[in-house]
Amino acid sequence: MSDHVTTRNLHPVIGTEALGYSMTRHLDPQKIDAIKQLWLSHPVLIFRNQDISDSEHIEFARHFGEVELHPSISHRASNNPEIYRVSNVDETGQILPQQSNEWLYINLSWRWHTDSSFRQVPSKGSILHGIEVLPTGGDTLFANMYIAYEELDDKLKNKITGLTVTHSHDHILSLSNNLHRRQNRGEYTKLPPVAHPLVRIHPETGKPSLFLSPHTMTGIVQLPGQQGITLLDTLIAHATQDRFVYHHRWQPHDVVMWDNRCTMHAVTPFDNQTQRRIMHRTTIVGDEAPIAA
Ligand code: OGA
Ligand code: MN
């Protein structure tokens, strides 16, 4: 195989298939470098037919940085804690009951979010392996937050530049009515709230993008409560228009690798009590806290 990784765009502004790469073969450093470069200009990369083990998945991820442990302890794979199990099925193969803490937590990925926005240093990127995928539903939507920012009018750009947003992992739990009410909501590593710029500069490309994560955002530091929430809602509605969003229909053993510094994502609903969806994710630790525009 040559060092060349060729591409095919699946949407005008986001979502690119990378062809000519196999994660099960020896990880040729030149090819890894080619992927790193490609990823900077194509923040959602899709690799088809990658029937990898969890160890191969983790080995691939480590080329891009250190791998995070997810704060939700019960969603880490028991043999490989670096794997976060995004699934409605437990490790013994049983469908998670509708009211289990484990399902209610995963169910929140149906909302738009950016992975690890609750950390002081949010993750650089995520790599998701589709192991059992569905004939309908359970697609993943990805929004290009560079373009969403670029397409704001100048007045709004000026208004939001310099604003700071508070993010909290506890907010994720509060979004689920059922989890919210419980004394025991599952076991999570403790994470204090953090503040991040609303417009961030990508540390490698130098380009500005909107930094939204509706999962974790509790308000804007410089604006009174409701005013901040209303502004965030306007920006979320803007950023999730079809023209900025790629809709990924999973095939078995697709691996999708996205840059959390300039995208956001959400899962489309599926029947989680009769269908099985098993996805394994690694998450790459960020290099630094988000840089304000
Ligand atoms: C994730 C997530 C997407 C999916 O892994 O971060 O939100 O398609 N899941 O399950
Ligand atoms: Mn996610």
Side-chain angles (χ1 to χ4, degrees), residues 23-254:
M23 291 171 198
T24 56
R25 307 231 181 105
H26 177 65
L27 299 171
D28 171 351
Q30 272 152 340
K31 272 219 161 153
I32 293 284
D33 278 348
I35 292 169
K36 281 185 187 163
Q37 285 313 312
L38 188 64
W39 197 38
L40 291 178
S41 48
H42 300 81
V44 174
L45 283 180
I46 293 111
F47 301 85
R48 306 278 189 193
N49 299 313
Q50 306 290 331
D51 190 356
I52 45 171
S53 65
D54 287 343
S55 311
E56 285 165 332
H57 180 162
I58 295 165
E59 195 183 339
F60 176 74
R62 287 214 171 106
H63 284 93
F64 302 91
E66 201 187 319
V67 176
E68 282 186 13
L69 288 185
H70 198 277
S72 175
I73 290 160
S74 63
H75 292 94
R76 296 177 191 163
S78 28
N79 291 333
N80 292 287
E82 298 89 344
I83 296 283
Y84 172 56
R85 299 185 67 258
V86 191
S87 180
N88 67 325
V89 176
D90 70 17
E91 287 188 293
T92 72
Q94 299 298 308
I95 291 199
L96 296 171
Q98 185 68 13
Q99 292 306 325
S100 59
N101 283 341
E102 287 73 19
W103 169 249
L104 292 173
Y105 188 80
I106 290 297
N107 194 193
L108 291 162
S109 61
W110 291 9
R111 295 167 179 261
W112 282 101
H113 64 280
T114 306
D115 295 333
S116 296
S117 53
F118 43 73
R119 293 188 192 276
Q120 191 68 52
V121 177
S123 89
K124 179 189 287 185
S126 301
I127 301 172
L128 189 64
H129 174 204
I131 297 173
E132 283 195 42
V133 302
L134 303 173
T136 54
D139 299 346
T140 312
L141 312 178
F142 293 96
N144 185 325
M145 304 300 273
Y146 287 136
I147 314 276
Y149 172 74
E150 210 173 285
E151 300 265 317
L152 290 172
D153 63 46
D154 287 346
K155 199 164 146 239
L156 197 47
K157 277 187 187 157
N158 286 334
K159 180 174 171 180
I160 66 173
T161 303
L163 296 181
T164 315
V165 179
T166 44
H167 293 256
S168 147
H169 182 262
D170 287 349
H171 189 61
I172 299 179
L173 305 175
S174 74
L175 290 171
S176 165
N177 285 334
N178 292 332
L179 268 187
H180 189 48
R181 283 199 295 268
R182 290 186 185 168
Q183 197 115 57
N184 172 5
R185 305 171 182 179
E187 210 187 329
Y188 308 98
T189 49
K190 201 92 208 90
L191 290 156
V194 294
H196 293 309
L198 178 49
V199 184
R200 69 186 291 184
I201 298 290
H202 193 290
E204 295 185 79
T205 65
K207 291 200 298 186
S209 71
L210 276 176
F211 184 18
L212 300 174
S213 188
H215 241 173
T216 55
M217 298 192 298
T218 53
I220 295 183
V221 173
Q222 297 84 353
L223 295 177
Q226 195 48 51
Q227 216 174 303
I229 305 283
T230 306
L231 178 53
L232 291 173
D233 285 346
T234 305
L235 295 170
I236 295 163
H238 165 81
T240 56
Q241 296 174 74
D242 285 350
R243 62 194 170 114
F244 307 133
V245 174
Y246 164 62
H247 191 126
H248 187 66
R249 182 94 278 282
W250 288 89
Q251 296 172 19
H253 300 302
D254 281 351

